[in-house]
Amino acid sequence: MKVRIDGTTKEVRTIWREGQTIRLIDQRKLPHRFEITTLEDHVETAGAIMDMVMRGAGAIGVAGGYGMAQAALEAIDRDLPEFERYLLEAAERLRSTRPTAANLFHAIERCLDASSTGTVAERVEAVLSEADAIAEDDLEASRQMGVLGNELIDDEVRILTHCNAGALAFIDYGTALSPIRLAHRQGKKIHVFVDETRPRCQGARLTAWELEQEGIPYSLIVDNAAGFFMRRGEVDMVIVGADRIAANGDVANKIGTYEKAVLAHENEIPFYVAAPRMTFDLTCKDGESIEIEERSPQEIVGMWGVDDTRNPSRILIASEGTAVRNPAFDVTPAKYVTAFITERGILSPPFSESIKLTFGEADIS
Ligand code: RUB
C-alpha cells in the first residue's frame, strides 16, 4: 500500500519476514503514529496477534505462518523428535491467540503439513517456503478480489464498509477495500461510508487512514448511523470482509456486521462479502459452529487515543468495574449475503452449492 511518511510516498506491506525476524506496522498506533515494529521469535508473534499489534483475518493468517517459520528456525539444531515437539507446541501457542479467523488455523495447518517429511533442515526449509507462499498467495488473492469485485462497482457509487478489511487487515490491497481501491484508480466516482466500529474503532483508526492515504473520498460515521444513511438512499452497496465463512455461507465478521446486513436487506441494498479461500471453513456446517472471541471488558469501558500534545492516552467512558459483554464478532446468516467476492470468482446463492463447487471440500491451498 502507498503510505505518505514525512512528505514522501512509500510502498509498504502490512507484515513481512526477514529471516527469523518479522517486521510489521504497529496498528495500535495508527492513525496518530506510523511505526514499524519487530518480532524476534514465535512467542512474541503470538503475543502480537493476541494484543492486536496486527489484526484482520488475512494478516493474522500470514503472521501465524511466519510464527511457524520462526519456530522452525528456533528449533533447527534439535533432533527430529524434539523438533516435531517444538513445532507442535508453537502451533498450539499460535492457535490459542484468537479463535475466530479461519486464516490463522489454515496457515498453521499448511505449515505443519509442509514440515511432515525429511530431515530437520529440509523441514525447516519447507516451513519457510510455505509461510512465504501463504503471504504471496494472500497478496495475489487480494489483487484478484480487487479485479473481480471492481466489476460489481458502478461508475458512481456510495459504498458502506465495516471494520477494516483493507491492506492493513491483509498483506496489501485488502479484501473489501481492494475493489474499492481499483475502482478509484480507474477513475470511478466512489464515496465510502466508514463505520467507526466500536470498541476498537478499526474503521475510524484504520480504514479512514487507508482511504486518506489513497485519496479516496469517505465519511466516517458512528456505528449507529448506518441505518440512517441507508434509509435516506445514500448507500448503494455494502462491502465487508470476513473472519470465517461456514460451508452454508454464514459469515463471522466484526461485531455489528449482522445488523448492517439486516439493514441492507430491509433497504434493498446489495450486501457483498469479500474473502479469499483461506477464510472459508468447510468443516463448519453453519455459523452456529463458529467460535466467537470475547475480548476484555477494558476495551468497552475505556478508549485509547492521543491527547492534545499527541501523547497516547486512555480515557474511561464508563466506570472501571462496569459489567460488560464484549463479543468481537457476530454471525450474519447467509440469506443476507448478496454474493461473495473471492479470488476464484463471484459466488452467488445458493451458497452451499457455489462454495462447494468453487472450493471443493478439503483443498485449502
Ligand atoms: C477484523 C475484521 C475484518 C475481517 C476481514 O477484526 O473483522 O473485517 O478480519 O479481514 P479484528 P480480512 O480487527 O478484530 O481482527 O480483510 O483480512 O479478510
Side-chain angles (χ1 to χ4, degrees):
M1 87 193 92
K2 284 191 178 54
V3 178
R4 283 199 300 275
I5 311 161
D6 304 330
T8 52
T9 303
K10 291 196 175 122
E11 272 293 334
V12 258
R13 287 186 176 189
T14 297
I15 178 167
W16 67 97
R17 184 175 78 83
E18 290 172 5
Q20 196 171 327
T21 300
I22 295 174
R23 314 232 322 136
L24 68 164
I25 300 171
D26 188 338
Q27 300 191 25
R28 298 166 306 177
K29 309 258 169 74
L30 287 171
H32 309 294
R33 272 191 219 172
F34 181 85
E35 262 179 45
I36 302 294
T37 192
T38 297
L39 308 170
E40 298 294 355
D41 59 35
H42 84 275
V43 177
E44 282 189 11
T45 300
I49 298 173
M50 202 178 295
D51 295 344
M52 297 176 69
V53 177
M54 111 291 304
R55 27 59 53 205
I60 294 174
V62 171
Y66 284 164
M68 291 298 289
Q70 287 176 306
L73 287 166
E74 283 153 32
I76 197 163
D77 292 328
R78 301 185 180 210
D79 63 24
L80 187 54
E82 271 298 299
F83 175 82
E84 286 180 313
R85 195 186 53 76
Y86 192 85
L87 221 54
L88 286 175
E89 276 176 18
E92 209 32 58
R93 187 191 298 273
L94 289 160
R95 277 194 203 103
S96 65
T97 52
R98 299 196 69 192
T100 305
N103 309 51
L104 175 66
F105 296 83
H106 285 328
I108 292 169
E109 243 15 80
R110 278 178 63 169
C111 291
L112 283 177
D113 281 353
S115 77
S116 59
T117 51
T119 62
V120 168
E122 285 164 352
R123 289 174 195 226
V124 171
E125 255 333 292
V127 176
L128 298 189
S129 10
E130 194 61 29
D132 293 341
I134 290 166
E136 293 312 313
D137 289 354
D138 268 16
L139 194 65
E140 194 40 47
S142 49
R143 210 191 316 257
Q144 196 54 24
M145 280 183 275
V147 172
L148 297 173
N150 177 34
E151 287 169 19
L152 301 168
I153 297 179
D154 289 339
D155 285 344
E156 196 169 332
V157 74
R158 296 148 307 171
I159 304 171
L160 182 132
T161 191
H162 191 65
C163 193
N164 172 262
L168 290 166
F170 235 72
I171 286 284
D172 204 345
Y173 304 101
T175 51
L177 290 198
S178 185
I180 294 174
R181 264 176 221 287
L182 188 58
H184 170 75
R185 284 177 193 174
Q186 288 187 348
K188 292 182 182 175
K189 201 161 168 269
I190 309 283
H191 189 91
V192 184
F193 284 100
V194 179
D195 292 342
E196 64 174 347
T197 320
R198 279 278 290 144
R200 293 188 69 106
C201 295
Q202 290 93 329
R205 294 190 306 105
L206 307 176
T207 302
W209 180 81
E210 278 195 41
L211 295 171
E212 188 77 43
Q213 298 297 313
E214 188 97 13
I216 301 173
Y218 68 91
S219 305
L220 176 63
I221 59 171
V222 296
D223 292 323
N224 306 342
F228 172 86
F229 289 109
M230 287 191 197
R231 191 164 158 72
R232 281 167 52 130
E234 293 191 37
V235 176
D236 302 305
M237 67 197 294
V238 179
I239 314 181
V240 297
D243 287 87
R244 193 180 291 245
I245 301 166
N248 72 341
D250 288 353
V251 176
N253 190 47
K254 180 53 55 193
I255 191 77
T257 303
Y258 170 45
E259 17 181 280
K260 306 302 175 281
V262 175
L263 282 166
H265 180 79
E266 171 67 18
N267 290 282
E268 295 177 10
I269 297 165
F271 183 91
Y272 294 103
V273 177
R277 170 63 184 102
M278 289 277 274
T279 306
F280 287 78
D281 181 356
L282 306 189
T283 67
C284 283
K285 183 165 79 44
D286 55 34
E288 291 297 306
S289 42
I290 299 177
E291 187 182 342
I292 300 295
E293 175 182 13
E294 287 223 22
R295 294 190 61 89
S296 161
Q298 298 295 325
E299 293 183 347
I300 306 275
V301 296
M303 282 183 94
W304 278 100
V306 292
D307 62 19
D308 292 344
T309 53
R310 299 190 75 73
N311 279 317
S313 143
R314 182 171 185 263
I315 54 155
L316 277 181
I317 51 175
S319 308
E320 204 76 77
T322 299
V324 162
R325 290 292 307 273
N326 185 15
F329 302 97
D330 59 26
V331 173
T332 298
K335 68 175 180 182
Y336 294 118
V337 178
T338 306
F340 289 100
I341 301 166
T342 79
E343 73 275 41
R344 298 202 203 155
I346 306 294
L347 312 191
S348 302
F351 294 122
S352 304
E353 284 171 29
S354 54
I355 290 173
K356 196 166 164 184
L357 209 65
T358 311
F359 296 128
E361 285 184 64
D363 166 36
I364 57 159
S365 57

Short mmCIF file of all heavy atoms in Angstrom, two decimals, residues 52 55-60 98 103 162-166 169-170 174-176 202 241-243 253-254 274-276 279 293 328-329, ligand 1:
data_model
loop_
_atom_site.label_atom_id
_atom_site.label_comp_id
_atom_site.label_asym_id
_atom_site.label_seq_id
_atom_site.Cartn_x
_atom_site.Cartn_y
_atom_site.Cartn_z
N MET A 52 -3.27 -7.59 19.22
CA MET A 52 -3.74 -6.88 18.03
C MET A 52 -2.77 -5.80 17.54
O MET A 52 -3.18 -4.74 17.09
CB MET A 52 -5.16 -6.33 18.26
CG MET A 52 -6.14 -7.48 18.47
SD MET A 52 -7.83 -7.01 18.86
CE MET A 52 -8.40 -6.31 17.32
N ARG A 55 -3.94 -7.08 13.02
CA ARG A 55 -5.21 -7.78 13.15
C ARG A 55 -5.84 -7.88 11.77
O ARG A 55 -5.27 -7.39 10.81
CB ARG A 55 -6.14 -7.14 14.20
CG ARG A 55 -5.99 -5.70 14.48
CD ARG A 55 -6.21 -4.82 13.28
NE ARG A 55 -7.48 -5.10 12.64
CZ ARG A 55 -7.80 -4.89 11.39
NH1 ARG A 55 -6.91 -4.38 10.55
NH2 ARG A 55 -8.98 -5.16 10.91
N GLY A 56 -7.03 -8.48 11.70
CA GLY A 56 -7.63 -8.74 10.40
C GLY A 56 -7.28 -10.16 10.00
O GLY A 56 -6.12 -10.59 10.17
N ALA A 57 -8.29 -10.87 9.47
CA ALA A 57 -8.13 -12.31 9.25
C ALA A 57 -6.89 -12.65 8.40
O ALA A 57 -6.11 -13.54 8.75
CB ALA A 57 -9.39 -12.84 8.58
N GLY A 58 -6.71 -11.93 7.29
CA GLY A 58 -5.60 -12.24 6.40
C GLY A 58 -4.25 -12.00 7.06
O GLY A 58 -3.36 -12.85 7.01
N ALA A 59 -4.13 -10.86 7.72
CA ALA A 59 -2.85 -10.52 8.37
C ALA A 59 -2.55 -11.50 9.51
O ALA A 59 -1.40 -11.90 9.71
CB ALA A 59 -2.89 -9.09 8.89
N ILE A 60 -3.59 -11.90 10.23
CA ILE A 60 -3.39 -12.87 11.32
C ILE A 60 -2.91 -14.21 10.74
O ILE A 60 -2.03 -14.86 11.30
CB ILE A 60 -4.71 -13.09 12.10
CG1 ILE A 60 -5.14 -11.82 12.84
CG2 ILE A 60 -4.57 -14.24 13.09
CD1 ILE A 60 -6.51 -11.93 13.50
N ARG A 98 -6.19 -16.12 18.90
CA ARG A 98 -7.50 -15.58 18.55
C ARG A 98 -8.29 -16.69 17.85
O ARG A 98 -7.80 -17.27 16.88
CB ARG A 98 -7.36 -14.34 17.63
CG ARG A 98 -6.59 -13.20 18.30
CD ARG A 98 -6.79 -11.89 17.57
NE ARG A 98 -8.14 -11.39 17.71
CZ ARG A 98 -8.65 -10.39 16.98
NH1 ARG A 98 -7.90 -9.81 16.06
NH2 ARG A 98 -9.88 -9.98 17.16
N ASN A 103 -8.26 -18.04 8.77
CA ASN A 103 -6.96 -17.94 8.09
C ASN A 103 -5.81 -18.41 8.98
O ASN A 103 -4.87 -19.05 8.51
CB ASN A 103 -6.70 -16.49 7.66
CG ASN A 103 -7.85 -15.91 6.89
OD1 ASN A 103 -8.98 -15.98 7.34
ND2 ASN A 103 -7.59 -15.33 5.73
N HIS A 162 -17.52 -1.90 6.97
CA HIS A 162 -17.48 -2.03 8.43
C HIS A 162 -16.10 -2.54 8.84
O HIS A 162 -15.51 -3.34 8.13
CB HIS A 162 -18.57 -3.03 8.85
CG HIS A 162 -18.82 -3.06 10.33
ND1 HIS A 162 -19.32 -1.99 11.02
CD2 HIS A 162 -18.65 -4.04 11.25
CE1 HIS A 162 -19.44 -2.30 12.30
NE2 HIS A 162 -19.04 -3.54 12.47
N CYS A 163 -15.62 -2.08 9.98
CA CYS A 163 -14.32 -2.51 10.50
C CYS A 163 -13.22 -2.13 9.50
O CYS A 163 -13.35 -1.16 8.75
CB CYS A 163 -14.30 -4.00 10.79
SG CYS A 163 -12.88 -4.52 11.78
N ASN A 164 -12.12 -2.86 9.49
CA ASN A 164 -11.08 -2.63 8.49
C ASN A 164 -10.81 -3.93 7.76
O ASN A 164 -10.36 -4.91 8.36
CB ASN A 164 -9.78 -2.13 9.13
CG ASN A 164 -8.65 -2.08 8.10
OD1 ASN A 164 -7.83 -2.98 8.00
ND2 ASN A 164 -8.62 -1.04 7.29
N ALA A 165 -11.19 -3.95 6.51
CA ALA A 165 -10.89 -5.10 5.64
C ALA A 165 -10.06 -4.56 4.49
O ALA A 165 -10.33 -4.78 3.32
CB ALA A 165 -12.18 -5.75 5.16
N GLY A 166 -9.03 -3.83 4.86
CA GLY A 166 -8.16 -3.18 3.88
C GLY A 166 -6.79 -3.82 3.86
O GLY A 166 -6.59 -4.94 4.35
N ALA A 169 -5.50 -5.23 7.02
CA ALA A 169 -6.06 -6.49 7.51
C ALA A 169 -5.52 -7.67 6.71
O ALA A 169 -5.92 -8.82 6.92
CB ALA A 169 -7.59 -6.46 7.41
N PHE A 170 -4.63 -7.36 5.77
CA PHE A 170 -4.09 -8.38 4.87
C PHE A 170 -2.60 -8.14 4.75
O PHE A 170 -1.96 -7.71 5.70
CB PHE A 170 -4.82 -8.22 3.51
CG PHE A 170 -5.47 -9.48 3.05
CD1 PHE A 170 -6.60 -9.98 3.65
CD2 PHE A 170 -4.91 -10.19 2.00
CE1 PHE A 170 -7.18 -11.16 3.22
CE2 PHE A 170 -5.48 -11.37 1.56
CZ PHE A 170 -6.61 -11.85 2.17
N GLY A 174 -6.05 -5.61 0.51
CA GLY A 174 -7.20 -5.90 1.38
C GLY A 174 -8.23 -6.77 0.69
O GLY A 174 -8.01 -7.27 -0.43
N THR A 175 -9.35 -6.94 1.37
CA THR A 175 -10.45 -7.71 0.80
C THR A 175 -11.53 -6.73 0.33
O THR A 175 -11.62 -6.41 -0.84
CB THR A 175 -11.00 -8.71 1.84
OG1 THR A 175 -11.28 -8.02 3.06
CG2 THR A 175 -9.99 -9.81 2.11
N ALA A 176 -12.32 -6.20 1.28
CA ALA A 176 -13.38 -5.25 0.90
C ALA A 176 -12.81 -4.00 0.23
O ALA A 176 -13.40 -3.45 -0.70
CB ALA A 176 -14.19 -4.86 2.14
N GLN A 202 -11.64 0.13 14.49
CA GLN A 202 -10.80 -0.16 13.32
C GLN A 202 -11.21 0.67 12.12
O GLN A 202 -10.40 0.97 11.24
CB GLN A 202 -10.87 -1.66 12.96
CG GLN A 202 -10.19 -2.59 13.95
CD GLN A 202 -11.15 -3.11 14.99
OE1 GLN A 202 -12.10 -2.44 15.37
NE2 GLN A 202 -10.91 -4.31 15.48
N GLY A 241 -15.46 -7.49 4.87
CA GLY A 241 -14.59 -8.66 4.84
C GLY A 241 -15.20 -9.76 5.68
O GLY A 241 -16.40 -9.71 6.00
N ALA A 242 -14.42 -10.75 6.05
CA ALA A 242 -14.93 -11.85 6.88
C ALA A 242 -13.79 -12.48 7.64
O ALA A 242 -12.63 -12.41 7.22
CB ALA A 242 -15.59 -12.90 6.01
N ASP A 243 -14.14 -13.07 8.76
CA ASP A 243 -13.14 -13.80 9.56
C ASP A 243 -13.25 -15.30 9.40
O ASP A 243 -12.26 -16.02 9.46
CB ASP A 243 -13.25 -13.40 11.03
CG ASP A 243 -12.69 -12.00 11.19
OD1 ASP A 243 -13.45 -11.03 11.01
OD2 ASP A 243 -11.47 -11.88 11.43
N ASN A 253 -17.97 -12.03 11.09
CA ASN A 253 -17.15 -10.84 10.84
C ASN A 253 -17.32 -9.92 12.05
O ASN A 253 -18.10 -10.22 12.98
CB ASN A 253 -17.56 -10.15 9.54
CG ASN A 253 -16.57 -9.07 9.12
OD1 ASN A 253 -15.35 -9.29 9.12
ND2 ASN A 253 -17.06 -7.88 8.81
N LYS A 254 -16.62 -8.83 12.04
CA LYS A 254 -16.59 -7.89 13.17
C LYS A 254 -17.98 -7.61 13.72
O LYS A 254 -18.93 -7.43 12.95
CB LYS A 254 -15.90 -6.60 12.71
CG LYS A 254 -15.77 -5.50 13.73
CD LYS A 254 -15.12 -5.93 15.02
CE LYS A 254 -13.76 -6.56 14.84
NZ LYS A 254 -13.28 -7.25 16.07
N ALA A 274 -16.28 -9.85 0.82
CA ALA A 274 -15.05 -10.14 0.07
C ALA A 274 -14.12 -10.97 0.95
O ALA A 274 -13.76 -10.54 2.05
CB ALA A 274 -14.37 -8.83 -0.35
N ALA A 275 -13.76 -12.15 0.48
CA ALA A 275 -12.91 -13.03 1.30
C ALA A 275 -12.23 -14.07 0.42
O ALA A 275 -12.82 -14.56 -0.54
CB ALA A 275 -13.74 -13.73 2.36
N PRO A 276 -10.99 -14.42 0.77
CA PRO A 276 -10.28 -15.45 -0.01
C PRO A 276 -10.64 -16.85 0.49
O PRO A 276 -11.27 -17.01 1.53
CB PRO A 276 -8.81 -15.14 0.30
CG PRO A 276 -8.85 -14.65 1.70
CD PRO A 276 -10.15 -13.90 1.86
N THR A 279 -10.36 -17.98 4.16
CA THR A 279 -11.32 -17.57 5.19
C THR A 279 -12.52 -18.51 5.25
O THR A 279 -13.28 -18.48 6.21
CB THR A 279 -11.78 -16.11 4.90
OG1 THR A 279 -10.61 -15.29 4.81
CG2 THR A 279 -12.66 -15.56 5.99
N GLU A 293 -14.90 -14.98 19.51
CA GLU A 293 -13.98 -14.48 20.54
C GLU A 293 -14.67 -13.42 21.41
O GLU A 293 -15.36 -12.55 20.90
CB GLU A 293 -12.80 -13.83 19.82
CG GLU A 293 -11.80 -13.13 20.72
CD GLU A 293 -10.67 -12.47 19.91
OE1 GLU A 293 -10.79 -12.33 18.67
OE2 GLU A 293 -9.66 -12.08 20.54
N ALA A 328 -16.31 -10.07 20.00
CA ALA A 328 -15.57 -9.33 18.96
C ALA A 328 -16.19 -9.53 17.57
O ALA A 328 -15.89 -8.77 16.65
CB ALA A 328 -14.11 -9.77 18.96
N PHE A 329 -17.00 -10.57 17.42
CA PHE A 329 -17.55 -10.88 16.09
C PHE A 329 -19.02 -11.26 16.22
O PHE A 329 -19.48 -11.57 17.32
CB PHE A 329 -16.77 -12.06 15.46
CG PHE A 329 -15.30 -11.76 15.34
CD1 PHE A 329 -14.40 -12.21 16.30
CD2 PHE A 329 -14.81 -11.02 14.29
CE1 PHE A 329 -13.05 -11.92 16.23
CE2 PHE A 329 -13.46 -10.71 14.19
CZ PHE A 329 -12.58 -11.16 15.16
C1 RUB B 1 -11.20 -7.73 11.75
C2 RUB B 1 -12.42 -7.93 10.97
C3 RUB B 1 -12.26 -7.78 9.49
C4 RUB B 1 -12.03 -9.14 8.91
C5 RUB B 1 -11.68 -9.07 7.46
O1 RUB B 1 -11.37 -7.97 13.12
O2 RUB B 1 -13.47 -8.30 11.43
O3 RUB B 1 -13.41 -7.25 8.90
O4 RUB B 1 -10.97 -9.74 9.61
O5 RUB B 1 -10.33 -9.26 7.35
P1 RUB B 1 -10.16 -7.69 14.12
P2 RUB B 1 -9.58 -9.59 6.01
O6 RUB B 1 -9.75 -6.28 13.89
O7 RUB B 1 -10.76 -7.94 15.47
O8 RUB B 1 -9.09 -8.68 13.78
O9 RUB B 1 -9.80 -8.39 5.16
O10 RUB B 1 -8.16 -9.72 6.45
O11 RUB B 1 -10.10 -10.85 5.45
#
